[in-house]
Amino acid sequence: METMLNKVFIAKINELPERLGRTVTIGEKELAVFKLADGEIRVIENRCPHKGGVLAEGMVSGEHVFCPMHDWKISVVDGQVQEPDVGCVQTFEVETVDDRVYVIM
Ligand code: FES
């Protein structure tokens, strides 16, 4: 894995499956990477704020992921847990250069 300043290469765009999560570990942090149906790439923390479900394994619908453990609905855009549940996960900025996807840490 190559590092440029705080910009870390995570994958090539065509390696990311659409509407499925992918777990990427950078140092001590586990990230959930999603390629949405419109091709947008979103990166959030890979731990549900409820009981630590692995969000990369959740179902993706539009701009939300459903936690595989108890189905909390979480925005992959701003990290907010949707009502009636509350909480949020960290989100990370993504940069795409040609076909390469980087996350800004
Ligand atoms: S751990 Fe995610 S909803 Fe419970």
Side-chain angles (χ1 to χ4, degrees), residues 68-87:
M69 286 186 75
H70 316 98
D71 216 32
W72 278 22
K73 184 180 180 186
I74 299 171
S75 166
V76 299
V77 176
D78 63 11
Q80 287 298 320
V81 172
Q82 308 297 296
E83 286 178 358
D85 305 301
V86 285

Side-chain angles (χ1 to χ4, degrees), residues 80-98:
Q80 287 298 320
V81 172
Q82 308 297 296
E83 286 178 358
D85 305 301
V86 285
C88 70
V89 294
Q90 198 179 349
T91 57
F92 297 87
E93 209 177 303
V94 174
E95 206 177 300
T96 306
V97 181
D98 300 325

Side-chain angles (χ1 to χ4, degrees), residues 47-55 66-74 85:
R47 253 181 87 82
C48 177
H50 181 217
K51 291 189 176 170
V54 178
L55 296 176
F66 290 85
C67 177
M69 286 186 75
H70 316 98
D71 216 32
W72 278 22
K73 184 180 180 186
I74 299 171
D85 305 301

